[in-house]
């Protein structure tokens, strides 16, 4: 039985103090939750977020991480830096990073490997564009993204990876994938992982859905056989909505 995971991706929202206030608002719900609860915050919010989440069931995630240990990479953040402040997860390869910040399947793989080597749990994002879906190449594209992200990752490490299926056309658009559409691709991702590592890994790995998940549609999506949680953008910024989604994952 896979434990569900509800992760809020704040993106470029919330100052450190606003982030702390939001964490304090969701703390009780998270502490009473059966599922895992994660907040993915901007780098600058991470120390205060880790401090605010201390002693609670909320885990703190970065939204990105560099793949080198240290050096001349102006503006970047390493695994060591994240670990020292108490970060336990990082998002890798979000479509916004792929689209606006030249993230590639190669850097996604390097970051995934580096995160795992440092005991940081990677939440690896994959997802097709509307154009790709309309041209019938969704499954080919997702299969490629998953296989390239996991290149060189051992079976033992692969069990710790979280994959988030986020169709680009559903992100921030209000155009949620239907329960069936989302589950179909999450199941396909699990089959792809099974072809790489076998059933032990694919039955263990958590696969999330993200893309306009909200307080209204979460229960339906989270009830699907192969959706093990959500990566939530907009609705994670409102405590009441995020708590409703956490509670939906407990059902
Ligand atoms: P929205 O929930 O705002 O569509 O964002 C989804 C997302 O990109 C989470 O990483």
């Amino acid at each position: 039985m896979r434990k569900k995971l509800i992760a809020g991706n704040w993106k470029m929202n919330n100052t450190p103090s606003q982030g702390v206030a939001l964490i304090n608002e969701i703390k009780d719900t998270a502490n009473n939750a059966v599922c895992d609860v994660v907040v993915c915050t901007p780098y600058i919010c991470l120390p205060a977020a880790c401090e605010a989440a201390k002693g609670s069931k909320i885990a703190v995630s970065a939204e990105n991480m560099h793949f080198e240990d240290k050096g001349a990479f102006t503006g970047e953040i390493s695994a060591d830096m994240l670990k020292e402040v108490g970060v336990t997860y990082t998002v890798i390869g979000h479509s916004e990073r792929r689209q606006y910040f030249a993230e590639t399947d190669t850097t996604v793989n390097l970051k995934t490997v580096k995160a795992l080597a440092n005991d940081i749990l990677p939440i690896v994002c994959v997802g097709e564009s509307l154009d790709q879906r309309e041209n019938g190449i969704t499954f080919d594209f997702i299969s490629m993204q998953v296989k390239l992200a996991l290149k060189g990752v051992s079976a033992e490490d692969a069990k710790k990876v979280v994959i988030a299926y986020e169709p680009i056309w559903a992100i921030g658009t209000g155009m949620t994938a239907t329960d069936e559409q989302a589950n179909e691709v999450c199941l396909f991702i699990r089959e792809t992982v099974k072809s790489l590592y076998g059933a032990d890994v694919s039955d263990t790995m958590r696969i999330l859905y993200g893309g306009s998940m909200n307080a209204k549609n979460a229960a339906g999506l989270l009830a699907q056989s192969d959706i093990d949680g959500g990566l939530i953008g907009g609705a994670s910024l409102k405590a009441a909505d995020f708590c409703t989604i956490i509670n939906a994952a407990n059902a």
Side-chain angles (χ1 to χ4, degrees), residues 12 24 40 56 58 63 69 71-72 74 89 96 105 113 124 154-155 184 187 189 198 208 215 225 228 249:
M12 198 172 76
N24 286 333
C40 314
S56 78
I58 300 172
E63 298 177 8
D69 291 328
T74 303
Y89 288 81
E96 286 149 16
D105 288 319
V113 169
V124 178
S154 69
E184 182 184 36
L187 174 61
I189 292 171
L208 316 182
S225 61
D228 305 319

Side-chain angles (χ1 to χ4, degrees), residues 64-121:
N64 182 33
M65 189 198 89
H66 199 265
F67 52 82
E68 292 289 355
D69 291 328
K70 59 160 97 168
F73 302 102
T74 303
E76 291 293 329
I77 298 282
S78 72
D80 265 358
M81 298 172 192
L82 297 178
K83 269 205 305 198
E84 186 170 311
V85 296
V87 169
T88 49
Y89 288 81
T90 184
V91 176
I92 293 175
H94 192 281
S95 62
E96 286 149 16
R97 294 215 59 86
R98 294 180 191 255
Q99 186 177 351
Y100 305 129
F101 303 102
E103 192 84 67
T104 65
D105 288 319
T106 304
T107 59
V108 167
N109 176 243
L110 291 169
K111 291 176 181 192
T112 302
V113 169
K114 182 59 76 172
L116 289 164
N118 285 279
D119 291 323
I120 294 175
L121 303 175

